[in-house]
Amino acid sequence: MSETRFAESHEWVRLDGDVAVVGISDHAQNALGDVVFVDLPEVGREVTAGEAVAVVESVKAASDIYAPISGTVAAVNDALVDNPALVNSGAMGEGWFFTITPKDTAEIGKLMDAEGYAKHAEEAH
């Protein structure tokens, strides 16, 4: 897998072969608290960077999940439907939300690296 990059809206993306895996950051899942429901996008849906494509609900609030890059939703993490707590236990791993076949992989490089995101998350507090 390649380097993980982050959107300002707290999604992470990591290129894995031909697809980009998308989830929310550990910082975001901590801010949400216990996740109780996840609404995932339809496979095959065309998405644009910054577009709301999924919803995560926690004991505190419901939040939109935005596409960090443009492309086509290639797969969703069905395990989250039965066990939304995977977002809390493995936000950066098994708690991924969906994959996107990127329209242009160069979009990923425009997102923040881990250091830049850590600074962004700290400033958001």
Side-chain angles (χ1 to χ4, degrees):
M1 279 203 205
S2 66
E3 181 186 9
T4 302
R5 306 293 284 200
F6 296 86
E8 287 186 7
S9 50
H10 304 286
E11 291 82 12
W12 59 263
V13 60
R14 184 182 310 133
L15 202 55
D16 184 15
D18 294 339
V19 297
V21 183
V22 178
I24 63 170
S25 70
D26 201 46
H27 170 80
Q29 71 82 20
N30 273 327
L32 282 168
D34 293 337
V35 174
V36 295
F37 178 77
V38 175
D39 184 32
L40 298 169
E42 221 174 276
V43 173
R45 177 176 167 183
E46 296 283 328
V47 298
T48 303
E51 179 183 344
V53 296
V55 175
V56 59
E57 290 183 23
S58 72
V59 293
K60 292 182 181 175
S63 299
D64 288 331
I65 305 299
Y66 300 94
I69 60 171
S70 300
T72 305
V73 175
V76 296
N77 186 356
D78 289 326
L80 291 184
V81 175
D82 294 330
N83 187 7
L86 287 174
V87 175
N88 296 115
S89 64
M92 300 295 294
E94 63 184 350
W96 60 277
F97 279 69
F98 51 87
T99 64
I100 294 176
T101 302
K103 198 175 226 177
D104 179 4
T105 55
E107 278 187 314
I108 296 172
K110 295 175 183 172
L111 299 171
M112 291 179 278
D113 61 13
E115 186 178 323
Y117 177 72
K119 189 181 271 184
H120 168 73
E122 191 175 301
E123 290 170 358
H125 264 298

